[in-house]
Amino acid sequence: MLHRSDSPLTGKVALVTGASRRIGRAVALGLAQAGADVVVHAKSSRAEVEAVAEEVRALGRKALVAMGDVTDEAAVLRIFGEIDAAFGGLDILVNNAAIRGQKPFLEMTLEEWRATNSVILDGAFLCAREGARRMVARGGGTIINLGGVSAHVGAKERAHVATGKAGLIGLTKSLAVEFAGRGIVANCVAPGKIGGKRSATAGASPEMGSGGPILGREGEIDEAAFVILSMCMPEARFMTGQTVHVSGGMYMP
């Protein structure tokens, strides 16, 4: 049996990218409920992310709104400078920011391919690099990358998204190996067919190379967030380099 306080993340500072809605918002609020102070990030949806920050504060935790493009190195450096000034470092990073548009492969432009993969991969790289620097200074930390089931089963009209999400698996494993001796664990969560209102960039639910969730329904946002949150807890520190699937059995490795 686990014995811990109701606020196991008290004293921790977390950054959630793409935190204005859906899974990102749920994770930010869950981290606050567990005691962490939270940096909530968005590229442009300031009103939405400000509302999330107010929800964090209503839970009794500190919140910092961080606006910026995670593909822009200068913007990421500025964001982490703001985190340093407000909190003095970082303990938990959840790389959730992504764009998930749909386009038939033969109509996809190189610009669209690069834009999608830049948010997914360049954003994760820049945030993980700056986050890891601060975690090393604090003696350890947790990095969670948000993958997706499309990287494992394929998805019609989403070759760019599936490729970017597959790349996160390699990044996760490499971070796990490189920082194993410095107190940082890195894992990947791969949601699939999560219901609720979808973002404007998400498009329709894609056709994937799978028969769908064997549980016969879409997942709930809180079900995906629960798994992510559990991997941020102190009891999860013996797990690293793993990809955990939250897809109702769409993919079973």
Side-chain angles (χ1 to χ4, degrees):
M1 180 180 293
L2 299 179
H3 297 279
R4 67 182 188 192
S5 70
D6 291 334
S7 302
L9 299 181
T10 297
K12 302 297 185 183
V13 179
L15 165 61
V16 183
T17 66
S20 63
R21 58 178 75 91
R22 288 181 60 82
I23 293 174
R25 172 182 172 274
V27 170
L29 297 180
L31 289 166
Q33 289 173 333
D37 296 321
V38 187
V39 183
V40 288
H41 161 268
K43 178 182 178 182
S44 57
S45 51
R46 178 176 285 276
E48 288 179 293
V49 81
E50 289 279 8
V52 176
E54 284 304 311
E55 291 183 274
V56 169
R57 296 181 187 116
L59 292 167
R61 307 311 310 166
K62 296 177 182 177
L64 173 68
V65 171
M67 301 297 299
D69 183 349
V70 294
T71 73
D72 180 343
E73 185 172 23
V76 172
L77 292 175
R78 173 183 52 76
I79 287 169
F80 275 88
E82 293 170 357
I83 294 170
D84 290 340
F87 298 115
L90 190 73
D91 303 288
I92 298 167
L93 168 64
V94 180
N95 275 320
N96 175 65
I99 53 177
R100 302 175 182 86
Q102 292 181 236
K103 195 72 171 285
F105 186 72
L106 297 181
E107 298 175 18
M108 193 178 295
T109 67
L110 181 59
E111 181 181 12
E112 290 167 331
W113 172 272
R114 286 177 172 169
T116 297
N117 279 286
S118 184
V119 175
I120 296 171
L121 290 175
D122 295 347
F125 158 69
L126 289 170
C127 291
R129 186 189 69 186
E130 295 308 308
R133 284 175 173 164
R134 287 148 179 87
M135 291 174 195
V136 167
R138 288 161 82 94
T142 299
I143 298 173
I144 307 291
N145 294 319
L146 264 290
V149 70
S150 64
H152 303 269
V153 303
K156 183 179 179 180
E157 300 184 355
R158 286 202 176 181
H160 46 356
V161 178
T163 300
K165 295 294 189 179
L168 288 177
I169 298 168
L171 174 62
T172 299
K173 291 180 178 181
S174 295
L175 292 172
V177 172
E178 185 155 350
F179 292 101
R182 285 181 273 184
I184 298 174
V185 295
N187 292 289
C188 181
V189 175
K193 292 288 186 181
I194 303 299
K197 183 178 179 182
R198 301 172 69 80
S199 66
T201 64
S205 184
E207 179 182 332
M208 297 188 183
S210 166
I214 62 173
L215 295 181
R217 65 174 177 86
E218 291 188 334
E220 301 288 340
I221 289 170
D222 285 346
E223 290 176 315
F226 173 82
V227 175
I228 297 163
L229 291 165
S230 70
M231 296 166 72
C232 297
M233 297 300 160
E235 296 87 357
R237 299 202 58 78
F238 196 58
M239 178 171 67
T240 193
Q242 304 303 305
T243 296
V244 177
H245 295 268
V246 191
S247 62
M250 285 183 68
Y251 177 74
M252 294 183 282

